[in-house]
Amino acid sequence: MVEPRAMLDVKLIRERPDFVKAELAKVQAPASLVDDVLDADRARREALRSLEDKRAERTRRSKEIGALPPGERKSAGASLKSLAEAIEAGEAEAAVAESRFEEAMLLVPNLPHEGVPVGSDDSENRVVRVVGEQKSFDFEPKPHWEIGPALGAIDFERGVKISGSRFYVLMGEGARLQRAVISFMLDLHVREHGYVEVYPPAMVKRECLVGTGNLPKFGDALYRDAEEDFWWVPTAEVPVTNLYRDEILEPGRLPIRHVAYSPCFRREKMSAGRDVRGIKRGHQFDKVELVKFVEPSQSDAELDSLLAAAEKVCERLGLAWRVVQMCTGDLSFTAAIKYDVEVWAPGCKEWLEVSSCSNFRDFQARRANIRYRPAAGAKPELVHTLNGSGLALPRVVIALLETYQQADGSVQLPPALVPFFGGDGRLSAA
RNA sequence: GGAGAGAUGGCCGAGUGGUCGAAGGCGCACGCCUGCUAAGCGUGUAUACGGGUAACACCGUAUCGAGGGUUCGAAUCCCUCUCUCUCCGCCA
């Protein structure tokens, strides 16, 4: 039997379609999504019911035949031939109805959390707070695409030569800086925030991407193998969230908090021509990701602490940052509520998004079938999942290079990084 | 990559065409007994979807790695695939 996968509870759509439509309007999604689901649901249930009636009949009569003496079975069975054929036809019909229903369900986005301000697009997002000092310079600060090559830390030309546009090579102290930042962030989250470290596969099967909500709708953002069902992950959120796919977590397991370092791969088709300068947006980048699995009653509080963990990285690195809350119109397909963390890059003079902290509530859990048992013997319920970067790498490197650049062209790293980078924490031209 | 073996419920493990959602054991839950740190006895112990209920109860269907086939009927027969294990080869 096909397992219906839904982002929303079908029952909610069935019983309160007008409410769902109104909520979808807030996230700029059309009401027709609900009607499509309703139509498909009706057709599917009708098909299923008629099929099950036939199967019940067959089971009953087959048992009668089984009770007969062997010699009489064959002739008795002959009369059931047409019923068997009807069942076969009914199965095909039900399968079609089922997949139509599933397709419709998978295209419905998550509903917004009650606390999210209603707005139509990113212009209505709210800056929640601005923290830290936007460093001032007694010289004109340079953008990282000048600092990096001057230090021999970033090689754009060779990146393009070997892999094409949106690729770059980190060299020498640039590569070491990135490695230091990764180690620093992993250590911080593991040792101080209690996350359990995970090193996940960077290639996954398609069903993982359905689970997290990247498929079926956003396949054009992803790379995949041409011959096999391998997809490069766009974020560690995908493999880590799917760690517990199709599992029932026993009492006491929650909350689960994971931190994972992984490379990430994105086609960036939608942003063609944008952010092509520097290392802000590449087809491949590294990221340290935080992922949580929690009981529903805890997910609001867990989002707060997730956000705090991401902000702690900025604080320790001495960067200026701000937190922006997405309005309903700018929520992602999967998030019920979302905050972005942006760091200030004084060279290119931009706020760079380094983390999106989201509570998906049971949206991903339903798609990925991740449940927990509230108590021994109790019925399984869907967990809530959350995630956010802690943080995304190249942009942190940008902010570090630009914030800590010196008049002589060198870069003096903040104290928190020195033990990881080594030496006196200084990058300078060879 | 080559050869072989295997995949059954939380776990172990029976079951080769009919009354098997599946014996038995373990584990677990509840109750009883006992009374001393353990044992005994009893009962229960999957999930999903659909129907049903105020909510339970209850009814139907599906699920014995996955998909397909044979049959009135499949855990059981046939085909394909996936995964696991062992040995060989190769390799970071």
Side-chain angles (χ1 to χ4, degrees):
Chain A
M1 190 89 296
V2 183
E3 194 169 277
R5 288 213 159 153
M7 65 175 34
L8 295 182
D9 192 337
V10 206
K11 287 173 192 149
L12 181 65
I13 296 178
R14 222 181 260 154
E15 289 161 19
R16 302 180 61 196
D18 293 333
F19 166 76
V20 175
K21 286 179 185 178
E23 291 300 298
L24 288 181
K26 292 182 186 171
V27 297
Q28 308 291 310
S32 61
L33 291 172
V34 169
D35 295 322
D36 291 347
V37 167
L38 254 19
D39 288 345
D41 183 45
R42 225 175 335 244
R44 153 180 164 270
R45 288 203 283 175
E46 243 166 65
L48 219 49
R49 180 168 197 165
S50 131
L51 171 63
E52 287 182 357
D53 285 348
K54 292 192 186 89
R55 287 211 270 227
E57 162 104 10
R58 178 185 65 185
T59 302
R60 192 173 55 75
R61 296 183 55 188
S62 286
K63 281 183 182 173
E64 289 172 8
I65 292 173
L68 258 34
E72 295 175 30
R73 287 179 185 170
K74 187 158 187 183
S75 55
S79 68
L80 280 182
K81 183 74 178 167
S82 64
L83 180 59
E85 282 162 5
I87 287 171
E88 202 169 332
E91 281 170 345
E93 197 183 319
V96 170
E98 190 73 51
S99 67
R100 284 216 184 106
F101 169 72
E102 193 168 326
E103 281 164 29
M105 284 298 282
L106 287 173
L107 291 175
V108 184
N110 203 357
L111 302 185
H113 187 286
E114 309 73 54
V116 177
V118 177
S120 53
D121 57 46
D122 60 359
S123 68
E124 295 183 71
N125 292 342
R126 294 183 184 173
V127 176
V128 177
R129 56 181 166 270
V130 182
V131 189
E133 181 196 351
Q134 290 182 40
K135 196 169 171 188
S136 55
F137 295 83
D138 50 17
F139 57 94
E140 182 57 30
K142 293 176 181 165
H144 69 281
W145 56 79
E146 291 179 17
I147 303 169
L151 289 172
I154 306 175
D155 187 333
F156 291 106
E157 288 77 11
R158 291 196 175 95
V160 170
K161 177 172 73 179
I162 62 177
S163 297
S165 73
R166 287 199 190 286
F167 284 95
Y168 54 86
V169 179
L170 297 181
M171 301 276 278
E173 291 176 331
R176 181 144 57 99
L177 171 58
Q178 169 149 300
R179 176 159 53 86
V181 176
I182 292 166
S183 295
F184 159 72
M185 294 193 293
L186 285 170
D187 273 20
L188 173 67
H189 297 307
V190 169
R191 292 187 183 158
E192 297 186 36
H193 298 150
Y195 287 76
V196 176
E197 189 170 348
V198 176
Y199 176 78
M203 299 173 83
V204 296
K205 297 190 268 191
R206 116 176 262 118
E207 56 211 89
C208 291
L209 292 147
V210 174
T212 41
N214 302 82
L215 290 176
K217 215 178 162 188
F218 306 103
D220 61 1
L222 305 170
Y223 290 106
R224 63 179 160 132
D225 183 86
E227 292 176 5
E228 299 187 64
D229 185 29
F230 279 135
W231 300 66
W232 272 255
V233 302
T235 159
E237 164 192 356
V238 177
V240 177
T241 301
N242 279 280
L243 244 26
Y244 304 103
R245 177 155 50 82
D246 293 324
E247 290 192 29
I248 298 172
L249 302 163
E250 292 307 320
R253 284 297 308 282
L254 300 181
I256 293 172
R257 303 186 182 96
H258 284 311
V259 56
Y261 155 73
S262 86
C264 306
F265 304 91
R266 300 185 182 180
R267 296 176 69 96
E268 299 293 356
K269 282 203 155 172
M270 304 308 288
S271 53
R274 192 157 19 111
D275 300 327
V276 288
R277 196 147 198 210
I279 62 173
K280 177 180 170 188
R281 189 183 294 277
H283 288 306
Q284 172 185 337
F285 64 98
D286 282 15
K287 195 152 62 65
V288 168
E289 187 75 4
L290 305 170
V291 181
K292 294 183 178 187
F293 304 81
V294 307
E295 294 189 27
S297 66
Q298 300 304 308
S299 69
D300 285 344
E302 291 287 350
L303 179 60
D304 292 342
S305 60
L306 177 67
L307 183 57
E311 290 184 77
K312 181 63 78 177
V313 176
C314 304
E315 183 192 320
R316 289 284 170 83
L317 294 180
L319 300 173
W321 77 94
R322 66 178 190 180
V323 175
V324 181
Q325 176 169 28
M326 305 297 105
C327 71
T328 54
D330 201 29
L331 286 174
S332 65
F333 184 77
T334 48
I337 179 169
K338 179 161 89 123
Y339 295 94
D340 280 358
V341 177
E342 302 177 339
V343 295
W344 177 248
C348 51
K349 298 183 173 50
E350 269 189 83
W351 288 103
L352 301 173
E353 180 190 325
V354 289
S355 182
S356 279
C357 297
S358 305
N359 181 358
F360 305 99
R361 307 230 263 203
D362 62 11
F363 184 88
Q364 292 182 326
R366 184 172 283 111
R367 293 170 79 106
N369 192 29
I370 306 169
R371 293 169 297 169
Y372 75 105
R373 215 180 286 283
K379 273 191 87 87
E381 291 178 25
L382 295 166
V383 303
H384 277 193
T385 61
L386 306 92
N387 72 51
S389 299
L391 302 164
L393 251 290
R395 296 182 182 178
V396 173
V397 170
I398 292 173
L400 288 167
L401 292 176
E402 297 186 1
T403 299
Y404 293 106
Q405 60 181 300
Q406 311 292 309
D408 64 1
S410 67
V411 172
Q412 178 60 52
L413 297 174
L417 280 180
V418 174
F420 296 92
F421 184 80
D424 58 0
R426 195 177 196 85
L427 290 76
S428 45

